[in-house]
Amino acid sequence: TVLGECLKRSSVPRENYIVATKCGRYGNGSDFTRKRTLQSVEESLNRLQTDYIDLMQCHDIEFAESLDQVINETLPALIELKAQGKIRHIGITGLPLQVLDYALQHVEDIHGPATIEAILSYCCYTLNNTTLKQYTPSWKHRGIGIIQGGCTSMGLLTPTGPQDWHPAPETVKKLCKEDVDLCTKL
């Protein structure tokens, strides 16, 4: 890939930048099986032309066949790859915070604390949604890095608005559009 070539040719030492990528969601759907997880990491290492990935994230875990599959197949595969030095840190991503919290708690019960080191949440700490605040004390106490994705709420807070598939209720979409219009006038 272009990025892989740039990283390979860069004069910046590898330890001076962070490579984060994800597994589980692909163009043709979701696959959180152990086999596909191992394959995905190898593909990423090859594409990025690097010996290790700093942060490997199980992406959009709510779309897995089941959370049990993520907990009992995907994450153990990543734990193995971490022990081999192919990845440095393990994370999960998703939209429903209760799903992320459920996975975190059950992973800790089975695989021990500090298995999940980062959580990327979408649109849950923005102008129109601050529900992430109720989870941050517990997650920070566990030493988990928290990444807020979707600072414009997946388009809600932009002049063009969200995509048709956006999960927000019509009332929220309407109110956000009014807020954007007001900001545009100011």
Side-chain angles (χ1 to χ4, degrees):
T1 64
V2 173
L3 178 57
E5 279 300 313
C6 289
L7 294 175
K8 182 180 176 182
R9 296 176 189 205
S10 173
S11 61
V12 178
R14 175 62 183 90
E15 63 274 5
N16 289 356
Y17 58 87
I18 295 171
V19 172
T21 191
K22 52 197 175 180
C23 63
R25 289 286 304 268
Y26 309 96
N28 58 351
S30 300
D31 187 345
F32 288 87
T33 60
R34 171 185 171 72
K35 179 180 177 185
R36 184 64 181 108
T37 300
L38 296 171
Q39 181 184 357
S40 181
V41 170
E42 289 302 325
E43 289 169 355
S44 292
L45 290 169
N46 290 331
R47 273 195 309 271
L48 295 168
Q49 300 184 43
T50 186
D51 296 330
Y52 64 92
I53 295 164
D54 297 285
L55 174 60
M56 191 62 165
Q57 301 165 96
C58 298
H59 184 51
D60 287 346
I61 63 171
E62 68 269 27
F63 292 102
E65 188 176 290
S66 73
L67 288 178
D68 287 340
Q69 182 180 45
V70 173
I71 294 165
N72 297 308
E73 271 191 73
T74 314
L75 290 167
L78 294 179
I79 291 167
E80 230 176 83
L81 292 166
K82 184 177 178 183
Q84 295 171 16
K86 293 185 178 187
I87 62 175
R88 300 275 168 97
H89 302 281
I90 298 170
I92 56 175
T93 80
L95 180 62
L97 296 172
Q98 65 275 19
V99 170
L100 297 172
D101 198 54
Y102 174 91
L104 175 63
Q105 289 178 27
H106 285 78
V107 165
E108 287 180 347
D109 291 345
I110 296 169
H111 304 291
T115 300
I116 294 175
E117 300 161 280
I119 294 178
L120 187 151
S121 163
Y122 297 97
C123 310
C124 293
Y125 200 72
T126 62
L127 294 174
N128 65 305
N129 182 345
T130 59
T131 54
L132 182 60
K133 284 171 61 173
Q134 69 187 9
Y135 294 90
T136 54
S138 170
W139 295 353
K140 286 174 80 175
H141 176 74
R142 290 175 161 110
I144 295 170
I146 302 168
I147 305 167
Q148 161 51 32
C151 61
T152 63
S153 293
M154 296 187 298
L156 276 176
L157 301 172
T158 65
T160 55
Q163 302 265 341
D164 292 339
W165 53 260
H166 197 287
E170 289 305 315
T171 307
V172 171
K173 291 178 183 179
K174 181 181 179 287
L175 290 170
C176 286
K177 179 169 180 4
E178 290 173 10
D179 289 345
V180 169
D181 291 345
L182 177 64
C183 289
T184 304
K185 291 176 187 173
L186 299 176

